[in-house]
Amino acid sequence: MQPILTVIGILILFLGSVSSFALGNPARLPALLEKGTVVLAYFVSDEATSVSVITHDGVQTTSRSAITGNELAEQVLSFRNEIESSPMPGQEAVSYLRALERGRDLYELLIAPVDAYLEGAEHLAIIPSDVLFSLPFGAMYICPGCEKRDLYGGEFLIEHCSISYAPSLCSLERSLQKGNREEYRSILTVSNLSGESHWSEEEATNIASLFPDRTMLMGAEATEEAVKGLLGTRRYDVVHFATHCLFLDGQAPLLSNIRFLQAKNEDGVFRIDELLGLNVSIGLLTFSTGLGIQLPVGGAAGVNRTASSTGEAFRILTDALLASGVASAVLPLGNVNNWSTVRLMEVMYQELGQESTKDKALQRAKLSLLRYPNYRHPYYWAPFVLYGGWSAMNSTRPPDTGKLDYPLYQALQEWKSKEHAPDETPLVVSVLVTLVHPVAQEDLDAFKALSDEIEVQGAFGNFVQLRLPLTLLDAVCALPQVRSVATPAGTISN
């Protein structure tokens, strides 16, 4: 198993990057962005923290701060400690004020240097780095120059614009190229895996009632085998897990898992690397409970090292989800409150049913809690964040590209649109082919039978690496076992 996991891990690193810029191409991104959308791409290093601003007009600026990775981690963790637990009785006002103060300090550090470029922004797409993967940006607080006594006069960032995250520029480009589903009719809910969380059954039932096509797995029916069987055989607009079950593995992120009760045919641990092989098609994947984190003890420098490890693990986890066939995911960044979560989820799905986009649906759900004085504290609404595609109404997205990713589709259409001399040689490209099932020898033979010019460079899991002339892409896509064809790094190269 370990060699296979290692190869899949390499694949995920093709699709993302430790730095938000390593595999993305900012020059190609602006054409995919709508007016009113601003991308903030961060990079945290041992010496400094930087943010680049990208809009539909191109890369606007890059701002660099002298704050080190360790210093930033201390501020982020201090903020998280304030918003991750329910305020103690009698301390609600004090805790809320501390949350505002620390949220304001982070806004001044991370966004204020570039906020001139956010004027008129309706949506922020955040590409975090390092410890910023664990930061709920919507809970940052806008109150320029405020003293502590004036903090109540400011606003949370989520009150200004909707927010989504992407693990890398490459991942963001893929999400924009694919577009998003405009209807939400089918749902699979999974709840009460332990048999003891009856509140999660109520949550799942209320949410499922909003969808005409619903499948509900509860209690003893909610087994690993049953969930795998459904996810591998049909498409869902929404898959909702209403249970304490998502665990992030900081040492091996692809072993991050969903926990079920152990059964006869399964061990009860549904790993993310298993999801990659299921050929799933999910419009929105939601986990409505807290995130469990499995990390080693870090010793003297453990706190900051753990924060960095968690960020990198979360990057790989989210990139794997988005690469597996999940268009978007609503994920918790930490502990959640049961009552406020039930309310938030119900409002979010009601908004989707009224044709709100995913980002606006989550934003409005959070704002619905902010209207209650007892639930304005970020603890009640901040933990949930949206990863992946956010808008189903993206009028600027490219045309349907079939099985090809957009760079390959664009290159092929450009070749077809021009006249060529008989002896002109087409561009030779390396591509990553995803099959609908694990690779077999018959699949490799099928590729070779198409042309002697097709070179099989490697195969693992459901993936085959090919090198071939651009003009043979249509023939490869015509094979029924081919699900998609992509450039490994999102770029065309020989």
Side-chain angles (χ1 to χ4, degrees):
M1 179 64 73
Q2 190 62 38
I4 295 176
L5 291 178
T6 300
V7 173
I8 294 178
I10 293 172
L11 168 67
I12 296 302
L13 291 177
F14 272 145
L15 299 172
S17 61
V18 176
S19 160
S20 58
F21 279 106
L23 290 180
N25 183 355
R28 198 166 55 234
L29 184 61
L32 302 173
L33 297 175
E34 293 181 327
K35 290 186 177 181
T37 296
V38 177
V39 177
L40 298 180
Y42 289 89
F43 181 68
V44 179
S45 69
D46 290 341
E47 295 80 23
T49 299
S50 65
V51 56
S52 296
V53 181
I54 306 172
T55 71
H56 70 287
D57 291 323
V59 180
Q60 301 300 305
T61 189
T62 295
S63 174
R64 184 178 184 275
S65 167
I67 187 169
T68 67
N70 282 339
E71 292 168 342
L72 180 61
E74 289 176 2
Q75 287 205 37
V76 170
L77 293 175
S78 176
F79 181 54
R80 281 179 56 88
N81 288 339
E82 197 58 55
I83 67 174
E84 277 223 313
S85 300
S86 177
M88 296 292 292
Q91 296 294 312
E92 293 88 351
V94 174
S95 176
Y96 181 59
L97 192 60
R98 284 199 300 261
L100 298 186
E101 188 173 15
R102 290 169 185 173
R104 177 207 58 190
D105 292 345
L106 284 168
Y107 181 89
E108 293 296 322
L109 177 66
L110 296 170
I111 294 186
V114 295
D115 63 3
Y117 297 93
L118 274 56
E119 185 175 351
E122 298 178 359
H123 179 79
L124 293 184
I126 306 294
I127 302 180
S129 174
D130 200 75
V131 71
L132 296 182
F133 275 94
S134 64
L135 176 63
F137 274 71
M140 289 198 287
Y141 200 65
I142 307 172
C143 197
C146 288
E147 300 294 336
K148 182 176 289 190
R149 63 179 181 273
D150 302 321
L151 282 173
Y152 290 109
E155 291 184 302
F156 291 104
L157 184 58
I158 194 64
E159 297 180 86
H160 276 252
C161 54
S162 59
I163 298 171
S164 68
Y165 291 62
S168 65
L169 280 177
C170 182
S171 176
L172 178 59
E173 289 167 358
R174 289 199 313 271
S175 294
L176 291 172
Q177 289 163 11
K178 290 177 182 177
N180 288 277
R181 298 176 189 168
E182 298 185 10
E183 293 186 323
Y184 298 92
R185 298 183 56 80
S186 62
I187 187 170
L188 167 64
T189 63
V190 184
S191 62
N192 197 13
L193 303 190
S194 66
E196 300 174 354
S197 302
H198 298 291
W199 65 266
S200 71
E201 290 190 3
E202 181 180 352
E203 173 190 327
T205 301
N206 291 342
I207 290 170
S209 69
L210 301 172
F211 294 78
D213 179 4
R214 50 186 177 268
T215 303
M216 294 183 287
L217 296 178
M218 298 180 179
E221 296 178 348
T223 64
E224 181 184 0
E225 184 176 15
V227 172
K228 283 182 176 178
L230 290 172
L231 293 182
T233 55
R234 66 161 296 181
R235 185 182 81 174
Y236 287 99
D237 296 323
V238 175
V239 174
H240 182 96
F241 284 90
T243 187
H244 292 281
C245 60
L246 180 62
F247 290 86
L248 175 68
D249 192 316
Q251 294 177 293
L254 292 179
L255 296 183
S256 299
N257 55 78
I258 305 166
R259 299 287 179 87
F260 296 81
L261 292 177
Q262 190 169 348
K264 182 178 179 180
N265 298 323
E266 296 284 359
D267 61 5
V269 181
F270 183 11
R271 303 187 311 273
I272 297 302
D273 68 301
E274 294 179 289
L275 183 68
L276 283 166
L278 280 183
N279 189 33
V280 302
S281 181
I282 301 171
L284 175 63
L285 174 64
T286 301
F287 290 92
S288 67
T289 54
L291 176 70
I293 301 176
Q294 302 161 198
L295 285 168
V297 177
V303 174
N304 291 342
R305 186 181 301 121
T306 295
S308 180
S309 298
T310 302
E312 176 63 4
F314 207 75
R315 181 192 67 76
I316 295 177
L317 168 65
T318 52
D319 218 348
L321 287 174
L322 297 177
S324 70
V326 175
S328 311
V330 171
L331 303 173
L333 294 182
N335 299 327
V336 303
N337 175 270
N338 288 345
W339 184 92
S340 61
T341 295
V342 169
R343 170 66 182 170
L344 184 146
M345 290 296 162
E346 288 181 0
V347 173
M348 182 181 77
Y349 288 122
Q350 288 168 358
E351 288 288 340
L352 287 177
Q354 295 170 12
E355 300 186 354
S356 292
T357 54
K358 296 172 187 177
D359 61 317
K360 295 300 182 185
L362 182 57
Q363 180 193 25
R364 290 167 184 165
K366 292 183 176 184
L367 294 181
S368 73
L369 289 174
L370 277 166
R371 296 190 186 101
Y372 293 93
N374 290 343
Y375 294 96
R376 279 191 64 83
H377 194 292
Y379 163 70
Y380 296 104
W381 52 265
F384 294 101
V385 298
L386 174 67
Y387 266 86
W390 63 86
S391 173
M393 293 72 161
N394 186 354
S395 60
T396 63
R397 68 174 183 262
D400 182 9
T401 63
K403 296 180 180 180
L404 297 174
D405 73 354
Y406 186 67
L408 285 174
Y409 172 85
Q410 190 177 40
L412 183 58
Q413 294 306 309
E414 184 177 350
W415 172 270
K416 290 179 178 180
S417 67
K418 297 178 180 179
E419 294 185 4
H420 302 280
D423 59 346
E424 186 175 351
T425 303
L427 180 69
V428 176
V429 294
S430 291
V431 299
L432 190 67
V433 179
T434 303
L435 303 184
V436 298
H437 55 239
V439 179
Q441 185 59 48
E442 292 80 2
D443 300 312
L444 303 181
D445 293 339
F447 289 125
K448 294 176 182 177
L450 293 176
S451 172
D452 292 337
E453 295 181 277
I454 295 180
E455 176 189 352
V456 177
Q457 296 182 312
F460 44 90
N462 288 48
F463 309 100
V464 182
Q465 183 91 21
L466 299 179
R467 184 175 171 81
L468 73 168
L470 191 70
T471 49
L472 291 176
L473 288 174
D474 284 337
V476 170
C477 289
L479 293 175
Q481 64 267 46
V482 172
R483 178 186 175 195
S484 62
V485 182
T487 47
T491 57
I492 301 292
S493 60
N494 281 312

